[in-house]
Coordinates of all heavy atoms in Angstrom, one line a residue:
N1 N 167.2 -125.7 51.9 CA 166.9 -125.1 53.2 C 165.5 -124.6 53.1 O 164.9 -124.3 52.1 CB 168.0 -124.1 53.5 CG 167.7 -122.6 53.5 OD1 166.6 -122.2 53.4 ND2 168.8 -121.9 53.5
E2 N 164.8 -124.6 54.3 CA 163.4 -124.3 54.4 C 163.0 -122.9 54.0 O 162.0 -122.7 53.3 CB 163.0 -124.6 55.9 CG 161.5 -124.5 56.1 CD 160.7 -125.5 55.3 OE1 161.2 -126.6 55.0 OE2 159.5 -125.2 54.9
L3 N 163.8 -121.9 54.3 CA 163.5 -120.5 53.9 C 163.5 -120.4 52.4 O 162.6 -119.8 51.8 CB 164.6 -119.6 54.6 CG 164.4 -118.1 54.2 CD1 163.0 -117.7 54.7 CD2 165.5 -117.3 54.9
Q4 N 164.5 -121.0 51.7 CA 164.6 -120.9 50.3 C 163.3 -121.6 49.7 O 162.7 -121.1 48.7 CB 165.8 -121.6 49.8 CG 166.0 -121.6 48.2 CD 166.1 -120.1 47.7 OE1 166.6 -119.2 48.4 NE2 165.5 -119.9 46.5
K5 N 162.9 -122.8 50.3 CA 161.7 -123.4 49.8 C 160.5 -122.6 49.9 O 159.7 -122.5 49.0 CB 161.6 -124.7 50.6 CG 160.6 -125.7 50.1 CD 160.6 -127.0 51.0 CE 159.6 -128.0 50.5 NZ 159.6 -129.2 51.3
Q6 N 160.4 -121.9 51.0 CA 159.2 -121.0 51.2 C 159.2 -119.9 50.2 O 158.2 -119.4 49.7 CB 159.2 -120.4 52.6 CG 158.8 -121.4 53.7 CD 158.7 -120.7 55.0 OE1 159.2 -119.6 55.3 NE2 158.1 -121.4 56.0
K7 N 160.4 -119.3 49.9 CA 160.5 -118.2 49.0 C 160.1 -118.7 47.6 O 159.4 -118.0 46.8 CB 162.0 -117.7 48.9 CG 162.3 -116.8 50.1 CD 163.7 -116.3 50.0 CE 164.0 -115.4 51.2 NZ 165.4 -114.9 51.1
E8 N 160.5 -119.9 47.2 CA 160.1 -120.5 45.9 C 158.6 -120.7 45.8 O 158.0 -120.3 44.8 CB 160.8 -121.8 45.7 CG 162.3 -121.7 45.5 CD 163.1 -123.0 45.5 OE1 162.4 -124.1 45.5 OE2 164.3 -123.0 45.4
V9 N 158.0 -121.2 46.9 CA 156.6 -121.3 46.9 C 155.9 -120.0 46.8 O 154.9 -119.9 46.0 CB 156.1 -122.1 48.2 CG1 154.6 -122.1 48.3 CG2 156.6 -123.5 48.2
S10 N 156.3 -119.0 47.5 CA 155.7 -117.7 47.5 C 155.8 -117.0 46.2 O 154.9 -116.2 45.8 CB 156.1 -116.8 48.7 OG 157.5 -116.4 48.5
R11 N 156.8 -117.3 45.5 CA 157.0 -116.7 44.1 C 156.0 -117.3 43.2 O 155.4 -116.6 42.3 CB 158.4 -116.8 43.6 CG 159.3 -115.8 44.1 CD 160.6 -115.8 43.3 NE 161.7 -115.7 44.2 CZ 162.6 -116.6 44.5 NH1 162.5 -117.8 43.9 NH2 163.5 -116.4 45.4
G12 N 155.8 -118.5 43.3 CA 154.8 -119.2 42.5 C 155.1 -119.4 41.0 O 154.7 -120.4 40.4
N13 N 155.8 -118.5 40.4 CA 156.2 -118.5 39.0 C 155.0 -118.8 38.1 O 155.1 -119.5 37.1 CB 157.3 -119.6 38.8 CG 158.5 -119.2 39.6 OD1 158.9 -118.1 39.7 ND2 159.2 -120.2 40.2
G14 N 153.8 -118.3 38.5 CA 152.6 -118.5 37.6 C 152.0 -119.9 37.6 O 151.2 -120.2 36.7
R15 N 152.4 -120.7 38.5 CA 151.9 -122.1 38.5 C 150.5 -122.1 38.9 O 150.0 -121.3 39.6 CB 152.7 -123.0 39.4 CG 152.5 -122.8 40.9 CD 153.3 -123.7 41.7 NE 153.4 -123.2 43.1 CZ 152.8 -123.8 44.1 NH1 152.2 -124.9 43.9 NH2 152.9 -123.3 45.3
K16 N 149.7 -123.0 38.3 CA 148.3 -123.1 38.5 C 148.0 -124.3 39.3 O 148.6 -125.3 39.1 CB 147.6 -123.2 37.1 CG 147.8 -121.8 36.4 CD 147.0 -121.8 35.1 CE 147.4 -120.5 34.5 NZ 146.9 -119.7 33.7
I17 N 147.1 -124.1 40.3 CA 146.7 -125.2 41.2 C 145.2 -125.2 41.4 O 144.5 -124.2 41.3 CB 147.4 -125.1 42.5 CG1 147.2 -123.7 43.1 CG2 148.9 -125.4 42.4 CD1 147.7 -123.6 44.5
G18 N 144.7 -126.4 41.5 CA 143.2 -126.6 41.8 C 143.0 -126.4 43.3 O 143.7 -126.9 44.1
V19 N 142.0 -125.6 43.6 CA 141.6 -125.3 44.9 C 140.1 -125.3 45.2 O 139.3 -125.3 44.2 CB 142.2 -123.9 45.4 CG1 143.7 -123.7 45.2 CG2 141.5 -122.8 44.6
E20 N 139.8 -125.3 46.4 CA 138.4 -125.1 46.8 C 138.3 -123.7 47.4 O 139.1 -123.4 48.4 CB 137.9 -126.1 47.9 CG 136.5 -125.8 48.3 CD 136.0 -126.8 49.3 OE1 136.8 -127.6 49.9 OE2 134.8 -126.8 49.5
L21 N 137.5 -122.8 46.9 CA 137.3 -121.4 47.4 C 136.2 -121.4 48.4 O 135.1 -122.0 48.1 CB 137.0 -120.5 46.3 CG 138.1 -120.3 45.2 CD1 137.6 -119.3 44.2 CD2 139.4 -119.8 45.8
T22 N 136.4 -120.8 49.5 CA 135.3 -120.6 50.5 C 135.4 -119.1 50.8 O 136.3 -118.4 50.3 CB 135.5 -121.4 51.8 OG1 136.8 -121.1 52.3 CG2 135.4 -122.9 51.5
H23 N 134.4 -118.6 51.6 CA 134.3 -117.2 51.8 C 134.1 -116.9 53.3 O 133.4 -117.7 53.9 CB 133.2 -116.6 51.0 CG 133.4 -116.7 49.5 ND1 133.1 -117.9 48.9 CD2 134.0 -115.9 48.6 CE1 133.4 -117.8 47.6 NE2 134.0 -116.6 47.4
Y24 N 134.7 -115.9 53.9 CA 134.5 -115.6 55.3 C 134.4 -114.0 55.4 O 134.6 -113.3 54.5 CB 135.6 -116.1 56.2 CG 137.0 -115.4 56.1 CD1 137.4 -114.7 57.2 CD2 137.8 -115.4 55.0 CE1 138.7 -114.0 57.2 CE2 139.0 -114.8 54.9 CZ 139.5 -114.1 56.1 OH 140.7 -113.4 56.1
T25 N 133.9 -113.6 56.6 CA 133.7 -112.2 56.8 C 134.3 -111.7 58.1 O 134.9 -112.4 58.8 CB 132.2 -111.9 56.6 OG1 132.0 -110.4 56.5 CG2 131.4 -112.4 57.7
H26 N 133.9 -110.5 58.5 CA 134.5 -109.8 59.6 C 134.4 -110.6 60.9 O 133.4 -111.2 61.2 CB 133.7 -108.4 59.9 CG 133.8 -107.5 58.7 ND1 134.9 -106.7 58.5 CD2 133.0 -107.3 57.7 CE1 134.7 -106.0 57.4 NE2 133.6 -106.3 56.8
T27 N 135.5 -110.6 61.7 CA 135.5 -111.1 63.0 C 135.8 -110.0 64.0 O 135.7 -110.2 65.2 CB 136.5 -112.2 63.2 OG1 137.9 -111.6 63.0 CG2 136.3 -113.4 62.2
G28 N 136.2 -108.8 63.5 CA 136.6 -107.7 64.4 C 138.1 -107.8 64.8 O 138.6 -106.9 65.4
N29 N 138.8 -108.9 64.3 CA 140.2 -109.0 64.7 C 141.1 -108.8 63.4 O 140.6 -109.1 62.3 CB 140.4 -110.5 65.2 CG 139.6 -110.7 66.4 OD1 139.6 -109.9 67.3 ND2 138.9 -111.9 66.5
P30 N 142.3 -108.5 63.7 CA 143.3 -108.4 62.6 C 143.6 -109.8 62.0 O 143.3 -110.8 62.7 CB 144.5 -107.7 63.1 CG 144.4 -107.9 64.6 CD 142.9 -108.1 64.9
T31 N 144.1 -109.9 60.8 CA 144.5 -111.2 60.2 C 145.8 -111.7 60.9 O 146.4 -111.0 61.7 CB 144.7 -111.0 58.7 OG1 145.8 -110.1 58.5 CG2 143.5 -110.5 58.0
A32 N 146.2 -112.9 60.5 CA 147.5 -113.4 61.0 C 148.7 -112.5 60.6 O 149.7 -112.6 61.3 CB 147.7 -114.8 60.4
S33 N 148.5 -111.7 59.6 CA 149.7 -110.9 59.2 C 149.6 -109.5 60.0 O 150.5 -108.7 59.8 CB 149.6 -110.5 57.7 OG 148.4 -109.8 57.4
G34 N 148.6 -109.3 60.8 CA 148.5 -108.1 61.6 C 147.6 -107.0 60.9 O 147.3 -106.0 61.5
K35 N 147.3 -107.2 59.7 CA 146.5 -106.2 58.9 C 145.0 -106.5 59.2 O 144.6 -107.6 59.4 CB 146.7 -106.3 57.5 CG 148.1 -106.0 57.1 CD 148.3 -106.1 55.6 CE 149.8 -105.8 55.2 NZ 150.0 -106.1 53.8
M36 N 144.2 -105.5 59.1 CA 142.7 -105.7 59.1 C 142.3 -106.2 57.7 O 142.8 -105.7 56.7 CB 142.0 -104.4 59.4 CG 142.2 -103.9 60.9 SD 141.8 -105.1 62.1 CE 140.0 -105.2 62.0
P37 N 141.4 -107.2 57.6 CA 141.1 -107.8 56.4 C 140.3 -106.8 55.5 O 139.6 -105.9 56.0 CB 140.2 -109.0 56.7 CG 139.7 -108.6 58.1 CD 140.7 -107.8 58.8
Q38 N 140.5 -106.9 54.2 CA 139.8 -106.0 53.2 C 139.3 -106.8 52.1 O 140.0 -107.6 51.5 CB 140.8 -105.0 52.7 CG 140.2 -104.0 51.7 CD 141.2 -103.0 51.3 OE1 142.1 -102.6 52.0 NE2 141.1 -102.5 50.1
A39 N 138.0 -106.7 51.8 CA 137.4 -107.3 50.6 C 138.1 -106.9 49.3 O 138.5 -105.8 49.2 CB 135.9 -107.0 50.5
G40 N 138.4 -107.9 48.5 CA 139.1 -107.6 47.2 C 140.6 -107.7 47.3 O 141.3 -107.6 46.3
R41 N 141.1 -108.0 48.5 CA 142.5 -108.0 48.8 C 142.9 -109.3 49.6 O 143.8 -110.0 49.3 CB 143.0 -106.8 49.5 CG 144.5 -106.8 49.8 CD 145.0 -105.7 50.7 NE 144.6 -106.0 52.1 CZ 144.5 -105.1 53.0 NH1 144.5 -103.8 52.8 NH2 144.2 -105.5 54.2
T42 N 142.2 -109.5 50.7 CA 142.6 -110.5 51.7 C 142.1 -111.9 51.4 O 140.9 -112.1 51.2 CB 142.1 -110.1 53.1 OG1 142.6 -108.8 53.4 CG2 142.5 -111.0 54.2
I43 N 143.0 -112.9 51.5 CA 142.6 -114.3 51.5 C 143.3 -115.0 52.7 O 144.3 -114.5 53.1 CB 142.9 -115.0 50.2 CG1 144.4 -114.9 49.8 CG2 142.0 -114.5 49.1 CD1 144.7 -115.7 48.6
A44 N 142.6 -116.0 53.2 CA 143.3 -116.9 54.2 C 143.6 -118.2 53.5 O 142.9 -118.7 52.7 CB 142.3 -117.1 55.3
C45 N 144.8 -118.7 53.8 CA 145.3 -119.9 53.2 C 146.4 -120.5 54.1 O 147.2 -119.8 54.6 CB 145.9 -119.5 51.8 SG 146.6 -120.9 50.9
N46 N 146.3 -121.8 54.2 CA 147.3 -122.5 55.1 C 148.4 -123.2 54.3 O 149.4 -123.6 54.8 CB 146.7 -123.6 55.9 CG 145.8 -123.0 57.0 OD1 146.0 -121.8 57.4 ND2 144.8 -123.7 57.4
F47 N 148.3 -123.3 52.9 CA 149.3 -124.0 52.1 C 150.3 -123.1 51.4 O 151.2 -123.6 50.8 CB 148.7 -125.0 51.2 CG 147.9 -124.4 50.1 CD1 148.5 -124.1 48.9 CD2 146.5 -124.2 50.2 CE1 147.7 -123.6 47.8 CE2 145.8 -123.7 49.2 CZ 146.4 -123.4 48.0
L48 N 150.1 -121.8 51.5 CA 151.0 -120.8 51.0 C 151.5 -119.9 52.1 O 150.7 -119.6 53.0 CB 150.3 -119.9 49.9 CG 149.9 -120.7 48.6 CD1 149.1 -119.8 47.7 CD2 151.1 -121.1 47.8
P49 N 152.7 -119.4 52.0 CA 153.2 -118.4 53.0 C 152.4 -117.1 53.0 O 151.9 -116.7 52.0 CB 154.6 -118.2 52.6 CG 155.0 -119.2 51.6 CD 153.7 -119.7 51.0
L50 N 152.4 -116.4 54.2 CA 151.8 -115.1 54.3 C 152.4 -114.2 53.2 O 153.6 -114.4 52.9 CB 151.9 -114.5 55.7 CG 151.1 -115.2 56.8 CD1 151.5 -114.5 58.1 CD2 149.6 -115.0 56.5
N51 N 151.7 -113.3 52.7 CA 152.1 -112.3 51.7 C 152.2 -112.9 50.3 O 152.6 -112.1 49.4 CB 153.3 -111.5 52.1 CG 153.1 -110.8 53.3 OD1 152.1 -110.1 53.5 ND2 154.0 -110.9 54.3
S52 N 152.0 -114.2 50.1 CA 151.9 -114.7 48.7 C 150.8 -114.1 47.9 O 149.8 -113.7 48.5 CB 151.7 -116.3 48.8 OG 152.7 -116.9 49.4
R53 N 150.9 -113.9 46.7 CA 149.9 -113.3 45.8 C 149.3 -114.4 44.9 O 150.0 -115.2 44.4 CB 150.5 -112.1 45.0 CG 150.9 -111.0 46.0 CD 151.5 -109.8 45.3 NE 150.6 -109.3 44.3 CZ 151.0 -109.0 43.1 NH1 152.3 -109.0 42.7 NH2 150.2 -108.5 42.2
V54 N 148.0 -114.3 44.8 CA 147.3 -115.4 44.0 C 146.2 -114.6 43.1 O 145.5 -113.8 43.5 CB 146.5 -116.3 45.0 CG1 145.8 -117.3 44.2 CG2 147.5 -117.0 45.9
R55 N 146.2 -115.1 41.8 CA 145.2 -114.5 40.9 C 144.0 -115.5 40.9 O 144.2 -116.7 40.6 CB 145.7 -114.4 39.5 CG 144.8 -113.7 38.5 CD 145.2 -113.6 37.1 NE 146.7 -113.3 37.0 CZ 147.3 -112.1 37.0 NH1 146.5 -111.0 37.2 NH2 148.5 -112.0 36.9
I56 N 142.8 -115.0 41.3 CA 141.6 -115.8 41.3 C 140.6 -115.1 40.4 O 140.2 -113.9 40.7 CB 141.1 -115.9 42.7 CG1 142.1 -116.5 43.7 CG2 139.8 -116.7 42.8 CD1 141.8 -116.4 45.1
N57 N 140.2 -115.8 39.4 CA 139.2 -115.2 38.4 C 139.5 -113.8 38.0 O 138.7 -112.9 37.9 CB 137.8 -115.2 39.1 CG 137.3 -116.6 39.4 OD1 137.6 -117.6 38.7 ND2 136.6 -116.8 40.5
G58 N 140.8 -113.6 37.7 CA 141.2 -112.3 37.1 C 141.6 -111.2 38.2 O 142.2 -110.2 37.9
N59 N 141.3 -111.5 39.5 CA 141.6 -110.6 40.6 C 142.8 -111.1 41.4 O 142.9 -112.3 41.6 CB 140.4 -110.4 41.5 CG 139.2 -109.9 40.8 OD1 139.3 -108.9 40.1 ND2 138.1 -110.5 41.0
V60 N 143.7 -110.2 41.8 CA 144.9 -110.5 42.6 C 144.6 -110.3 44.1 O 144.1 -109.2 44.5 CB 146.1 -109.7 42.2 CG1 147.3 -110.1 43.1 CG2 146.4 -110.1 40.7
Y61 N 144.8 -111.4 44.9 CA 144.6 -111.3 46.3 C 145.9 -111.6 47.0 O 146.8 -112.3 46.4 CB 143.6 -112.4 46.8 CG 142.2 -112.2 46.2 CD1 141.8 -112.7 44.9 CD2 141.3 -111.5 47.0 CE1 140.5 -112.5 44.5 CE2 140.0 -111.3 46.5 CZ 139.6 -111.8 45.2 OH 138.4 -111.6 44.8
T62 N 146.0 -111.3 48.3 CA 147.2 -111.5 49.1 C 146.9 -112.4 50.3 O 145.9 -112.2 50.9 CB 147.8 -110.2 49.6 OG1 148.1 -109.3 48.4 CG2 149.1 -110.4 50.4
V63 N 147.7 -113.4 50.5 CA 147.5 -114.2 51.7 C 147.9 -113.4 52.9 O 149.1 -113.1 53.1 CB 148.4 -115.5 51.6 CG1 148.2 -116.4 52.9 CG2 148.0 -116.4 50.4
E64 N 146.9 -113.0 53.7 CA 147.1 -112.2 54.8 C 146.6 -112.9 56.1 O 146.8 -112.4 57.2 CB 146.4 -110.8 54.7 CG 146.9 -110.0 53.6 CD 146.2 -108.7 53.5 OE1 145.1 -108.5 54.0 OE2 146.8 -107.8 52.8
D65 N 146.0 -114.1 55.9 CA 145.4 -114.7 57.1 C 145.5 -116.3 56.9 O 145.9 -116.7 55.8 CB 143.9 -114.4 57.1 CG 143.3 -114.4 58.5 OD1 144.1 -114.7 59.5 OD2 142.1 -114.0 58.7
T66 N 145.3 -116.9 58.0 CA 145.3 -118.4 58.1 C 144.0 -118.8 58.7 O 143.3 -118.0 59.3 CB 146.6 -118.9 58.8 OG1 146.5 -118.4 60.1 CG2 147.9 -118.5 58.2
G67 N 143.8 -120.1 58.7 CA 142.5 -120.5 59.3 C 142.5 -122.0 59.6 O 143.6 -122.7 59.5
G68 N 141.4 -122.6 59.9 CA 141.3 -124.0 60.2 C 141.1 -124.9 59.0 O 140.7 -126.1 59.2
M69 N 141.3 -124.4 57.8 CA 141.1 -125.3 56.7 C 142.3 -126.2 56.4 O 143.4 -125.9 56.8 CB 140.8 -124.5 55.4 CG 141.2 -123.2 55.0 SD 141.2 -121.8 56.0 CE 142.2 -120.8 55.0
T70 N 142.0 -127.4 55.8 CA 143.0 -128.3 55.4 C 143.0 -128.5 53.9 O 142.0 -128.3 53.3 CB 142.8 -129.7 56.2 OG1 141.5 -130.2 55.8 CG2 142.9 -129.5 57.6
G71 N 144.1 -128.9 53.4 CA 144.2 -129.2 51.9 C 144.3 -127.9 51.2 O 144.6 -126.8 51.7
N72 N 144.0 -127.9 49.9 CA 144.1 -126.8 49.0 C 142.8 -125.9 49.1 O 142.1 -125.9 48.1 CB 144.3 -127.2 47.5 CG 145.8 -127.6 47.3 OD1 146.6 -127.7 48.2 ND2 146.1 -127.9 46.1
V73 N 142.7 -125.2 50.2 CA 141.5 -124.4 50.4 C 141.9 -122.9 50.6 O 142.9 -122.7 51.3 CB 140.7 -124.8 51.7 CG1 139.5 -123.8 51.9 CG2 140.2 -126.2 51.5
I74 N 141.3 -122.0 49.9 CA 141.5 -120.6 50.0 C 140.3 -120.0 50.4 O 139.2 -120.2 49.8 CB 142.1 -120.0 48.7 CG1 143.4 -120.5 48.3 CG2 142.0 -118.5 48.8 CD1 144.0 -120.0 47.0
D75 N 140.3 -119.2 51.5 CA 139.1 -118.6 52.1 C 139.2 -117.1 51.7 O 140.2 -116.4 52.1 CB 139.1 -118.7 53.6 CG 137.8 -118.7 54.3 OD1 136.8 -118.7 53.5 OD2 137.8 -118.8 55.5
I76 N 138.3 -116.6 50.9 CA 138.3 -115.2 50.5 C 137.5 -114.3 51.4 O 136.3 -114.6 51.7 CB 137.7 -115.1 49.0 CG1 138.5 -116.0 48.0 CG2 137.6 -113.7 48.6 CD1 137.9 -116.0 46.6
F77 N 138.1 -113.2 51.8 CA 137.4 -112.3 52.7 C 136.4 -111.5 51.9 O 136.7 -110.9 50.9 CB 138.3 -111.3 53.4 CG 137.7 -110.4 54.3 CD1 137.3 -110.8 55.6 CD2 137.3 -109.1 53.9 CE1 136.7 -109.9 56.5 CE2 136.7 -108.2 54.8 CZ 136.3 -108.6 56.1
V78 N 135.1 -111.4 52.4 CA 134.0 -110.6 51.8 C 133.5 -109.7 52.9 O 133.7 -109.9 54.1 CB 133.0 -111.5 51.1 CG1 133.5 -112.2 49.9 CG2 132.4 -112.4 52.1
D79 N 132.6 -108.7 52.5 CA 132.1 -107.7 53.4 C 131.0 -108.1 54.3 O 130.7 -107.5 55.3 CB 131.7 -106.4 52.7 CG 132.9 -105.6 52.4 OD1 133.9 -105.5 53.2 OD2 133.0 -105.0 51.3
S80 N 130.3 -109.2 54.0 CA 129.1 -109.6 54.9 C 128.9 -111.1 54.9 O 129.3 -111.8 54.0 CB 127.9 -108.9 54.3 OG 127.5 -109.5 53.1
E81 N 128.2 -111.5 56.0 CA 127.9 -112.9 56.1 C 127.0 -113.4 54.9 O 127.2 -114.5 54.4 CB 127.2 -113.2 57.5 CG 126.9 -114.7 57.7 CD 126.3 -114.9 59.0 OE1 126.0 -113.9 59.8 OE2 125.9 -116.1 59.3
K82 N 126.1 -112.5 54.6 CA 125.1 -112.8 53.5 C 125.9 -113.1 52.2 O 125.6 -114.0 51.5 CB 124.2 -111.6 53.3 CG 123.2 -111.8 52.2 CD 122.3 -110.6 52.0 CE 121.3 -110.8 50.9 NZ 120.4 -109.7 50.7
E83 N 126.9 -112.2 51.9 CA 127.7 -112.4 50.7 C 128.5 -113.7 50.8 O 128.6 -114.5 49.8 CB 128.7 -111.2 50.5 CG 129.5 -111.3 49.2 CD 130.4 -110.1 49.0 OE1 130.4 -109.2 49.8 OE2 131.1 -110.1 48.0
A84 N 129.1 -114.0 51.9 CA 129.9 -115.3 52.1 C 129.0 -116.5 51.9 O 129.4 -117.4 51.2 CB 130.4 -115.3 53.6
I85 N 127.7 -116.4 52.4 CA 126.8 -117.6 52.2 C 126.4 -117.7 50.7 O 126.4 -118.8 50.1 CB 125.6 -117.4 53.1 CG1 126.0 -117.6 54.5 CG2 124.5 -118.4 52.7 CD1 125.0 -117.2 55.5
Q86 N 126.1 -116.5 50.0 CA 125.7 -116.5 48.6 C 126.8 -117.1 47.7 O 126.6 -117.8 46.8 CB 125.4 -115.1 48.2 CG 124.0 -114.6 48.7 CD 123.8 -113.2 48.3 OE1 124.7 -112.4 48.0 NE2 122.5 -112.8 48.3
K87 N 128.1 -116.7 48.0 CA 129.2 -117.2 47.2 C 129.5 -118.6 47.4 O 130.0 -119.3 46.5 CB 130.4 -116.3 47.4 CG 130.1 -114.9 46.9 CD 131.4 -114.0 46.8 CE 131.0 -112.7 46.3 NZ 131.8 -112.2 45.2
G88 N 129.3 -119.1 48.6 CA 129.5 -120.5 48.9 C 130.9 -121.1 48.7 O 131.9 -120.4 48.8
R89 N 130.9 -122.3 48.2 CA 132.1 -123.1 47.9 C 132.2 -123.3 46.4 O 131.2 -123.7 45.8 CB 132.1 -124.4 48.7 CG 132.1 -124.4 50.1 CD 132.1 -125.7 50.8 NE 132.1 -125.6 52.2 CZ 133.3 -125.7 52.9 NH1 134.4 -125.9 52.3 NH2 133.2 -125.6 54.2
I90 N 133.4 -123.1 45.9 CA 133.6 -123.2 44.5 C 135.0 -124.0 44.2 O 135.9 -123.7 44.9 CB 133.8 -121.8 43.8 CG1 132.5 -121.0 44.1 CG2 134.0 -121.9 42.3 CD1 132.7 -119.5 43.9
H91 N 135.0 -124.9 43.4 CA 136.2 -125.6 43.0 C 136.6 -125.0 41.7 O 135.9 -124.8 40.7 CB 135.9 -127.1 42.7 CG 135.6 -127.8 44.0 ND1 136.6 -128.3 44.8 CD2 134.4 -128.0 44.6 CE1 136.0 -128.9 45.9 NE2 134.7 -128.7 45.8
T92 N 137.9 -124.5 41.7 CA 138.4 -123.8 40.5 C 140.0 -123.9 40.5 O 140.6 -124.5 41.4 CB 138.0 -122.3 40.6 OG1 138.3 -121.7 39.3 CG2 138.7 -121.5 41.7
T93 N 140.6 -123.3 39.5 CA 142.0 -123.2 39.4 C 142.5 -121.8 39.6 O 141.9 -120.9 39.1 CB 142.5 -123.7 38.0 OG1 142.0 -125.0 37.8 CG2 144.0 -123.7 37.8
V94 N 143.5 -121.6 40.4 CA 144.1 -120.3 40.6 C 145.6 -120.3 40.2 O 146.2 -121.3 40.0 CB 144.0 -119.9 42.1 CG1 142.5 -120.0 42.6 CG2 144.8 -120.8 43.0
E95 N 146.1 -119.1 40.1 CA 147.5 -118.9 39.6 C 148.2 -118.2 40.8 O 147.8 -117.2 41.3 CB 147.5 -117.9 38.4 CG 148.9 -117.7 37.9 CD 149.0 -116.7 36.8 OE1 147.9 -116.2 36.4 OE2 150.0 -116.6 36.2
V96 N 149.3 -118.9 41.2 CA 150.2 -118.4 42.2 C 151.2 -117.5 41.6 O 151.9 -118.0 40.7 CB 150.8 -119.5 43.1 CG1 151.7 -118.9 44.2 CG2 149.8 -120.5 43.6
L97 N 151.3 -116.2 42.0 CA 152.1 -115.3 41.3 C 153.5 -115.2 42.0 O 153.7 -115.6 43.1 CB 151.5 -113.9 41.3 CG 150.1 -113.8 40.7 CD1 149.4 -112.5 40.8 CD2 150.2 -114.2 39.2

């Protein structure tokens, strides 16, 4: 059943997946989960359910938003446009918790 499948995906069981990391910043709007985004916590992702937790470079983030990305892309919330541009796009492996 679909709900069970989503729960299994959101648990992750420590599986590692290759992703492209991008970065975004303030829009003035709450995330898809209804929370205001916070640097160091919020990520946007379309291939994992909301509230999934992901370890990226030793830091744990929560999927609180969605966006227009396709494929294995995770968009990390940062505090400024300058920071988003500086961090750019990165191909790496992340751990789904």
Side-chain angles (χ1 to χ4, degrees):
N1 106 15
E2 189 61 29
L3 181 59
Q4 182 61 32
K5 189 176 184 182
Q6 285 182 348
K7 286 181 181 178
E8 289 171 9
V9 170
S10 67
R11 274 192 227 111
N13 298 321
R15 74 183 161 108
K16 297 187 184 203
I17 52 173
V19 300
E20 179 180 13
L21 298 178
T22 58
H23 299 83
Y24 75 113
T25 193
H26 300 277
T27 63
N29 298 316
T31 63
S33 67
K35 297 177 181 175
M36 291 306 290
Q38 181 180 330
R41 180 192 77 205
T42 303
I43 56 176
C45 180
N46 291 336
F47 68 90
L48 293 170
L50 289 175
N51 298 313
S52 295
R53 294 178 56 223
V54 179
R55 186 181 325 274
I56 302 170
N57 298 326
N59 299 312
V60 176
Y61 296 86
T62 303
V63 177
E64 295 180 341
D65 209 357
T66 58
M69 32 310 167
T70 58
N72 283 6
V73 176
I74 292 177
D75 208 6
I76 300 174
F77 181 83
V78 294
D79 279 325
S80 70
E81 182 179 1
K82 181 180 178 182
E83 185 179 359
I85 292 168
Q86 284 176 339
K87 293 191 180 231
R89 295 177 179 268
I90 302 163
H91 293 273
T92 191
T93 300
V94 302
E95 180 181 6
V96 182
L97 305 175

